[in-house]
Amino acid sequence: MQRAKEKAVRNAAPKAVHRVVVLALPGVVPYELGIPAKAFGLARGPAGERLYEVVTCTLDGRPVRTSEDFSIAVEHDASVIATADTLIVAPIGDPVSAGDPLPEPVAAALDRLRPGTRLVSICTASFVLAAAGLLDGRPATTHWMYAERFRELFPRTPLDPDVLYVDDGDVLTSAGAAAGMDLCLHLIRHDHGSETANRVARLCVVPPWRDGGQAQYIARPVPDATGSDTAGAREWALRQLHQPLQLAQLADRAGMSVRTFSRRFLAETGQTPGQWLTAQRLELARTLLESSDLPVDRVAEQAGFGSASSLRQHLATAIGVSPAAYRRTFQGRDRGTPRM
Protein backbone atom coordinates (compact mmCIF):
# COMPACT_ATOMS: atom_id res chain seq x y z
CA MET A 1 0.00 0.00 0.00
CA GLN A 2 2.81 2.38 0.95
CA ARG A 3 4.65 1.61 -2.30
CA ALA A 4 1.49 2.34 -4.26
CA LYS A 5 1.20 5.73 -2.55
CA GLU A 6 4.84 6.54 -3.27
CA LYS A 7 4.39 5.58 -6.92
CA ALA A 8 1.30 7.76 -7.16
CA VAL A 9 3.26 10.72 -5.78
CA ARG A 10 6.08 10.15 -8.27
CA ASN A 11 3.65 9.90 -11.16
CA ALA A 12 1.58 12.89 -10.13
CA ALA A 13 1.56 15.68 -12.68
CA PRO A 14 3.73 18.63 -11.62
CA LYS A 15 1.98 21.84 -10.72
CA ALA A 16 1.56 24.12 -13.69
CA VAL A 17 4.01 27.01 -13.74
CA HIS A 18 2.36 30.42 -14.00
CA ARG A 19 2.90 31.65 -17.55
CA VAL A 20 3.72 35.33 -18.08
CA VAL A 21 3.46 36.48 -21.69
CA VAL A 22 5.10 39.80 -22.58
CA LEU A 23 3.86 41.57 -25.71
CA ALA A 24 6.42 43.69 -27.59
CA LEU A 25 4.75 46.07 -30.02
CA PRO A 26 6.51 48.12 -32.72
CA GLY A 27 8.46 50.92 -31.04
CA VAL A 28 8.80 48.97 -27.78
CA VAL A 29 11.05 50.49 -25.12
CA PRO A 30 13.81 47.89 -24.57
CA TYR A 31 14.58 48.67 -20.93
CA GLU A 32 11.05 48.04 -19.69
CA LEU A 33 10.64 45.08 -22.06
CA GLY A 34 13.34 43.22 -20.15
CA ILE A 35 11.96 43.86 -16.66
CA PRO A 36 9.35 41.05 -16.50
CA ALA A 37 11.75 38.38 -17.75
CA LYS A 38 14.33 39.47 -15.18
CA ALA A 39 11.97 39.73 -12.20
CA PHE A 40 9.74 36.71 -12.77
CA GLY A 41 12.60 34.64 -14.13
CA LEU A 42 14.47 34.97 -10.83
CA ALA A 43 11.50 33.93 -8.65
CA ARG A 44 12.08 30.51 -7.14
CA GLY A 45 10.16 28.34 -4.69
CA PRO A 46 11.40 26.67 -1.49
CA ALA A 47 13.07 23.82 -3.40
CA GLY A 48 14.55 26.11 -6.04
CA GLU A 49 11.80 25.39 -8.53
CA ARG A 50 10.86 28.14 -10.93
CA LEU A 51 7.56 29.81 -10.19
CA TYR A 52 6.97 31.51 -13.52
CA GLU A 53 7.58 30.86 -17.19
CA VAL A 54 8.16 34.07 -19.16
CA VAL A 55 7.72 34.16 -22.92
CA THR A 56 8.00 37.22 -25.13
CA CYS A 57 6.05 37.69 -28.34
CA THR A 58 5.49 40.16 -31.14
CA LEU A 59 2.35 40.43 -33.21
CA ASP A 60 3.68 38.19 -36.00
CA GLY A 61 6.67 36.51 -34.35
CA ARG A 62 9.11 38.53 -36.42
CA PRO A 63 11.77 40.94 -35.08
CA VAL A 64 10.32 44.22 -33.88
CA ARG A 65 11.91 47.63 -34.08
CA THR A 66 12.47 49.22 -30.68
CA SER A 67 12.35 52.88 -29.69
CA GLU A 68 16.15 52.87 -29.93
CA ASP A 69 18.50 52.13 -32.83
CA PHE A 70 18.11 48.35 -32.84
CA SER A 71 15.52 45.62 -33.28
CA ILE A 72 14.70 42.64 -31.06
CA ALA A 73 14.05 39.09 -32.25
CA VAL A 74 11.60 36.86 -30.34
CA GLU A 75 10.55 33.22 -30.47
CA HIS A 76 6.76 33.62 -30.44
CA ASP A 77 3.89 35.35 -32.17
CA ALA A 78 0.70 36.68 -30.57
CA SER A 79 -0.94 33.24 -30.54
CA VAL A 80 0.81 32.57 -27.19
CA ILE A 81 -1.38 35.25 -25.59
CA ALA A 82 -4.12 32.62 -25.47
CA THR A 83 -1.91 30.60 -23.07
CA ALA A 84 -1.11 33.48 -20.70
CA ASP A 85 -1.97 33.48 -17.00
CA THR A 86 -0.63 37.04 -16.93
CA LEU A 87 -0.22 39.25 -19.99
CA ILE A 88 2.18 42.18 -19.70
CA VAL A 89 2.19 44.81 -22.42
CA ALA A 90 5.54 46.56 -22.64
CA PRO A 91 5.62 50.34 -23.27
CA ILE A 92 6.12 52.01 -26.62
CA GLY A 93 8.15 55.11 -27.30
CA ASP A 94 5.29 56.95 -29.02
CA PRO A 95 2.23 56.14 -26.89
CA VAL A 96 -0.12 58.44 -28.78
CA SER A 97 0.26 56.15 -31.81
CA ALA A 98 -1.68 53.54 -29.82
CA GLY A 99 -4.65 55.88 -29.53
CA ASP A 100 -8.13 55.42 -30.87
CA PRO A 101 -8.63 53.58 -33.13
CA LEU A 102 -6.42 50.74 -31.96
CA PRO A 103 -4.50 49.16 -34.86
CA GLU A 104 -6.36 46.03 -36.01
CA PRO A 105 -3.44 43.61 -35.48
CA VAL A 106 -3.09 44.81 -31.87
CA ALA A 107 -6.83 44.49 -31.26
CA ALA A 108 -6.78 40.99 -32.72
CA ALA A 109 -3.87 40.02 -30.46
CA LEU A 110 -5.67 41.24 -27.34
CA ASP A 111 -8.83 39.41 -28.40
CA ARG A 112 -6.89 36.19 -27.75
CA LEU A 113 -6.97 36.83 -24.00
CA ARG A 114 -8.65 34.07 -21.99
CA PRO A 115 -11.21 35.03 -19.34
CA GLY A 116 -9.48 35.53 -15.99
CA THR A 117 -6.09 36.42 -17.45
CA ARG A 118 -4.30 38.99 -15.31
CA LEU A 119 -3.58 42.06 -17.42
CA VAL A 120 -0.62 44.38 -16.79
CA SER A 121 0.74 47.46 -18.52
CA ILE A 122 4.10 49.07 -17.87
CA CYS A 123 4.42 52.82 -18.35
CA THR A 124 2.92 54.02 -21.65
CA ALA A 125 1.45 50.60 -22.47
CA SER A 126 -1.58 51.87 -20.57
CA PHE A 127 -2.42 53.73 -23.79
CA VAL A 128 -2.73 50.36 -25.53
CA LEU A 129 -5.03 48.89 -22.89
CA ALA A 130 -7.13 52.04 -22.78
CA ALA A 131 -7.47 52.15 -26.58
CA ALA A 132 -8.69 48.55 -26.43
CA GLY A 133 -11.39 49.59 -23.93
CA LEU A 134 -9.83 47.45 -21.22
CA LEU A 135 -9.41 50.38 -18.83
CA ASP A 136 -12.90 51.86 -19.17
CA GLY A 137 -14.07 52.67 -15.67
CA ARG A 138 -10.91 51.13 -14.18
CA PRO A 139 -8.43 53.17 -12.10
CA ALA A 140 -5.06 53.36 -13.79
CA THR A 141 -1.79 55.23 -14.01
CA THR A 142 0.84 56.00 -16.64
CA HIS A 143 4.01 58.03 -16.92
CA TRP A 144 3.27 61.48 -15.50
CA MET A 145 4.68 63.15 -18.63
CA TYR A 146 1.85 61.74 -20.75
CA ALA A 147 -0.95 62.13 -18.22
CA GLU A 148 -2.75 65.06 -19.84
CA ARG A 149 -2.70 63.46 -23.27
CA PHE A 150 -4.00 60.22 -21.77
CA ARG A 151 -6.92 62.07 -20.15
CA GLU A 152 -7.75 63.73 -23.45
CA LEU A 153 -7.82 60.43 -25.33
CA PHE A 154 -9.43 58.23 -22.67
CA PRO A 155 -11.79 60.24 -20.45
CA ARG A 156 -13.56 57.05 -19.32
CA THR A 157 -10.47 55.90 -17.42
CA PRO A 158 -9.96 57.42 -13.93
CA LEU A 159 -6.25 58.28 -14.12
CA ASP A 160 -3.97 58.86 -11.15
CA PRO A 161 -0.65 60.12 -12.55
CA ASP A 162 0.93 60.63 -9.12
CA VAL A 163 1.45 57.00 -8.05
CA LEU A 164 3.93 54.28 -8.94
CA TYR A 165 1.34 51.67 -9.83
CA VAL A 166 -2.34 50.85 -9.50
CA ASP A 167 -3.60 47.38 -8.56
CA ASP A 168 -7.24 46.96 -9.57
CA GLY A 169 -7.34 43.21 -9.11
CA ASP A 170 -7.08 41.59 -12.52
CA VAL A 171 -5.87 44.78 -14.22
CA LEU A 172 -2.69 46.52 -13.06
CA THR A 173 -0.88 49.54 -14.49
CA SER A 174 2.43 51.16 -13.62
CA ALA A 175 4.26 54.40 -14.18
CA GLY A 176 7.57 54.64 -16.03
CA ALA A 177 10.83 52.70 -15.96
CA ALA A 178 11.66 51.50 -12.42
CA ALA A 179 7.97 51.52 -11.44
CA GLY A 180 7.63 48.53 -13.77
CA MET A 181 10.00 46.61 -11.50
CA ASP A 182 8.01 47.78 -8.46
CA LEU A 183 4.86 46.37 -10.02
CA CYS A 184 6.50 43.04 -10.91
CA LEU A 185 7.77 42.69 -7.33
CA HIS A 186 4.27 43.57 -6.09
CA LEU A 187 2.83 40.72 -8.19
CA ILE A 188 5.45 38.25 -6.95
CA ARG A 189 4.73 39.34 -3.38
CA HIS A 190 0.99 38.88 -3.98
CA ASP A 191 1.50 35.43 -5.49
CA HIS A 192 4.22 34.01 -3.25
CA GLY A 193 4.85 36.33 -0.31
CA SER A 194 7.42 38.89 0.77
CA GLU A 195 10.27 36.43 1.26
CA THR A 196 10.26 35.44 -2.41
CA ALA A 197 9.80 39.02 -3.63
CA ASN A 198 12.57 40.30 -1.37
CA ARG A 199 14.94 37.64 -2.66
CA VAL A 200 14.24 38.71 -6.24
CA ALA A 201 14.78 42.35 -5.26
CA ARG A 202 18.15 41.55 -3.70
CA LEU A 203 19.25 39.69 -6.83
CA CYS A 204 18.19 42.68 -8.95
CA VAL A 205 19.79 45.13 -6.46
CA VAL A 206 16.62 47.19 -6.17
CA PRO A 207 14.49 48.27 -3.20
CA PRO A 208 12.33 45.32 -2.10
CA TRP A 209 9.15 47.32 -1.73
CA ARG A 210 7.78 50.69 -2.69
CA ASP A 211 4.09 51.12 -2.03
CA GLY A 212 2.03 51.73 -5.16
CA GLY A 213 0.64 54.87 -3.59
CA GLN A 214 4.09 56.42 -3.30
CA ALA A 215 4.42 59.48 -5.50
CA GLN A 216 6.16 59.34 -8.84
CA TYR A 217 9.35 61.36 -8.99
CA ILE A 218 7.97 64.35 -10.80
CA ALA A 219 10.20 67.30 -11.64
CA ARG A 220 12.30 66.91 -8.50
CA PRO A 221 15.65 68.72 -8.60
CA VAL A 222 18.74 66.55 -8.31
CA PRO A 223 20.50 67.22 -4.97
CA ASP A 224 23.83 68.99 -5.12
CA ALA A 225 26.74 66.55 -5.23
CA THR A 226 28.21 67.56 -1.89
CA GLY A 227 29.51 64.09 -1.08
CA SER A 228 27.11 63.90 1.86
CA ASP A 229 23.72 62.16 1.71
CA THR A 230 21.21 60.35 3.89
CA ALA A 231 21.99 56.79 2.77
CA GLY A 232 24.09 56.00 5.84
CA ALA A 233 21.40 57.20 8.19
CA ARG A 234 18.81 55.14 6.35
CA GLU A 235 20.98 52.04 6.52
CA TRP A 236 21.45 52.57 10.26
CA ALA A 237 17.73 53.15 10.80
CA LEU A 238 16.84 49.84 9.13
CA ARG A 239 18.77 48.06 11.88
CA GLN A 240 17.01 50.06 14.59
CA LEU A 241 13.37 49.75 13.54
CA HIS A 242 12.47 48.00 16.81
CA GLN A 243 13.39 51.17 18.73
CA PRO A 244 11.80 54.62 18.81
CA LEU A 245 13.64 56.80 16.32
CA GLN A 246 13.68 60.57 16.38
CA LEU A 247 14.36 62.86 13.46
CA ALA A 248 17.21 64.46 15.38
CA GLN A 249 18.89 61.06 15.75
CA LEU A 250 18.81 60.45 12.01
CA ALA A 251 20.09 63.94 11.25
CA ASP A 252 22.92 63.45 13.73
CA ARG A 253 23.91 60.16 12.06
CA ALA A 254 24.16 62.04 8.75
CA GLY A 255 26.07 64.93 10.33
CA MET A 256 23.42 67.45 9.30
CA SER A 257 21.02 69.82 10.91
CA VAL A 258 17.44 68.58 11.14
CA ARG A 259 16.32 71.08 8.53
CA THR A 260 19.06 70.15 6.03
CA PHE A 261 18.57 66.45 6.65
CA SER A 262 14.81 66.67 6.08
CA ARG A 263 15.28 68.58 2.84
CA ARG A 264 17.89 66.19 1.47
CA PHE A 265 15.95 63.12 2.61
CA LEU A 266 12.89 64.25 0.67
CA ALA A 267 14.98 65.03 -2.41
CA GLU A 268 16.69 61.63 -2.34
CA THR A 269 13.76 59.35 -1.48
CA GLY A 270 10.62 61.25 -2.46
CA GLN A 271 9.35 60.80 1.12
CA THR A 272 9.70 62.59 4.42
CA PRO A 273 11.72 60.75 7.08
CA GLY A 274 8.49 59.95 8.92
CA GLN A 275 6.82 58.52 5.82
CA TRP A 276 9.88 56.47 5.00
CA LEU A 277 10.19 55.06 8.51
CA THR A 278 6.53 54.07 8.57
CA ALA A 279 6.91 52.30 5.21
CA GLN A 280 9.96 50.37 6.43
CA ARG A 281 8.20 49.40 9.66
CA LEU A 282 5.19 48.19 7.68
CA GLU A 283 7.40 46.11 5.40
CA LEU A 284 9.08 44.49 8.40
CA ALA A 285 5.72 43.84 10.07
CA ARG A 286 4.33 42.27 6.89
CA THR A 287 7.37 40.01 6.60
CA LEU A 288 7.02 38.90 10.23
CA LEU A 289 3.29 38.26 9.81
CA GLU A 290 3.98 36.12 6.76
CA SER A 291 7.01 34.19 7.96
CA SER A 292 6.59 33.81 11.73
CA ASP A 293 4.05 32.78 14.34
CA LEU A 294 4.84 35.69 16.64
CA PRO A 295 1.80 37.19 18.39
CA VAL A 296 0.62 40.43 16.84
CA ASP A 297 1.80 42.49 19.83
CA ARG A 298 5.33 41.05 19.45
CA VAL A 299 5.29 41.79 15.72
CA ALA A 300 4.28 45.36 16.55
CA GLU A 301 7.15 45.68 19.04
CA GLN A 302 9.79 44.28 16.68
CA ALA A 303 8.61 46.51 13.85
CA GLY A 304 8.71 49.58 16.09
CA PHE A 305 4.97 50.32 16.27
CA GLY A 306 4.94 49.90 20.03
CA SER A 307 1.51 48.33 20.34
CA ALA A 308 -0.78 45.99 18.46
CA SER A 309 -3.39 48.74 18.13
CA SER A 310 -0.87 51.04 16.44
CA LEU A 311 0.11 48.28 14.01
CA ARG A 312 -3.55 47.58 13.25
CA GLN A 313 -4.18 51.23 12.50
CA HIS A 314 -1.18 51.62 10.19
CA LEU A 315 -1.79 48.34 8.37
CA ALA A 316 -5.46 49.19 7.84
CA THR A 317 -4.52 52.60 6.47
CA ALA A 318 -1.89 51.14 4.13
CA ILE A 319 -3.65 48.08 2.72
CA GLY A 320 -7.09 47.97 4.35
CA VAL A 321 -6.76 44.77 6.41
CA SER A 322 -6.02 43.77 9.99
CA PRO A 323 -2.81 41.93 10.97
CA ALA A 324 -4.80 38.75 11.59
CA ALA A 325 -6.47 38.92 8.18
CA TYR A 326 -3.15 39.63 6.50
CA ARG A 327 -1.55 36.64 8.21
CA ARG A 328 -4.41 34.35 7.20
CA THR A 329 -4.02 35.45 3.59
CA PHE A 330 -0.36 34.47 3.46
CA GLN A 331 -0.20 31.55 5.90
CA GLY A 332 -3.58 29.97 5.28
CA ARG A 333 -2.50 28.16 2.11
CA ASP A 334 0.42 26.43 0.47
CA ARG A 335 3.24 28.98 0.31
CA GLY A 336 4.37 27.48 -3.00
CA THR A 337 1.02 27.87 -4.73
CA PRO A 338 0.33 31.05 -6.69
CA ARG A 339 -2.27 33.23 -4.97
CA MET A 340 -4.53 34.18 -7.82
Side-chain angles (χ1 to χ4, degrees):
M1 184 68 175
Q2 181 63 29
R3 289 181 179 178
K5 289 182 179 179
E6 292 174 353
K7 183 178 180 180
V9 170
R10 288 195 302 270
N11 294 336
K15 292 181 180 178
V17 176
H18 186 105
R19 171 169 271 203
V20 177
V21 174
V22 184
L23 175 60
L25 296 171
V28 65
V29 181
Y31 173 77
E32 283 93 331
L33 175 63
I35 288 175
K38 185 69 172 178
F40 293 105
L42 288 172
R44 292 290 187 271
E49 72 278 14
R50 65 177 183 172
L51 300 174
Y52 301 92
E53 176 191 18
V54 184
V55 297
T56 305
C57 69
T58 60
L59 293 174
D60 55 9
R62 298 176 181 175
V64 65
R65 188 75 179 176
T66 72
S67 61
E68 307 304 327
D69 64 339
F70 57 89
S71 297
I72 291 177
V74 300
E75 300 295 328
H76 305 279
D77 63 24
S79 64
V80 296
I81 290 176
T83 70
D85 298 304
T86 295
L87 173 67
I88 300 178
V89 183
I92 53 180
D94 178 17
V96 179
S97 66
D100 195 19
L102 191 68
E104 193 281 330
V106 181
L110 295 178
D111 282 343
R112 297 176 182 269
L113 283 166
R114 296 180 300 171
T117 301
R118 186 165 59 184
L119 191 56
V120 178
S121 71
I122 296 178
C123 192
T124 56
S126 55
F127 280 74
V128 178
L129 301 191
L134 297 171
L135 295 183
D136 288 356
R138 308 290 296 259
T141 191
T142 193
H143 195 293
W144 60 267
M145 190 167 61
Y146 298 100
E148 290 307 315
R149 185 58 174 152
F150 185 98
R151 287 193 176 108
E152 293 173 3
L153 290 172
F154 311 113
R156 293 188 298 273
T157 300
L159 185 74
D160 185 350
D162 297 327
V163 297
L164 296 177
Y165 56 83
V166 172
D167 181 345
D168 194 38
D170 60 339
V171 178
L172 302 93
T173 53
S174 83
M181 177 61 80
D182 292 317
L183 181 51
C184 289
L185 291 173
H186 170 75
L187 289 170
I188 295 170
R189 183 176 296 104
H190 173 275
D191 293 347
H192 298 285
S194 291
E195 185 176 348
T196 301
N198 290 350
R199 189 182 309 117
V200 171
R202 286 194 295 272
L203 290 170
C204 293
V205 198
V206 296
W209 179 69
R210 293 197 297 169
D211 184 12
Q214 181 175 325
Q216 293 188 38
Y217 294 104
I218 303 173
R220 296 192 186 278
V222 178
D224 295 334
T226 62
S228 176
D229 57 31
T230 65
R234 279 180 273 138
E235 182 180 357
W236 174 81
L238 288 174
R239 299 193 299 268
Q240 313 295 326
L241 291 177
H242 60 288
Q243 299 181 1
L245 293 173
Q246 303 298 323
L247 179 57
Q249 290 177 277
L250 298 176
D252 185 64
R253 296 290 304 189
M256 304 177 189
S257 69
V258 169
R259 183 175 180 179
T260 299
F261 178 82
S262 298
R263 185 181 70 252
R264 292 189 61 81
F265 197 102
L266 181 62
E268 292 170 16
T269 69
Q271 297 174 292
T272 68
Q275 291 169 336
W276 182 86
L277 275 174
T278 298
Q280 305 314 309
R281 294 187 195 282
L282 278 171
E283 173 63 11
L284 176 56
R286 290 168 66 165
T287 300
L288 291 173
L289 288 170
E290 292 178 29
S291 61
S292 78
D293 295 320
L294 289 172
V296 172
D297 57 349
R298 290 285 296 133
V299 170
E301 290 176 8
Q302 291 198 19
F305 285 110
S307 67
S309 61
S310 177
L311 172 58
R312 290 189 190 97
Q313 179 181 352
H314 281 90
L315 197 62
T317 300
I319 57 176
V321 299
S322 67
Y326 185 86
R327 172 170 272 164
R328 283 195 301 270
T329 298
F330 284 91
Q331 292 195 351
R333 65 187 77 185
D334 182 356
R335 291 295 298 274
T337 302
R339 286 189 273 272
M340 298 297 296

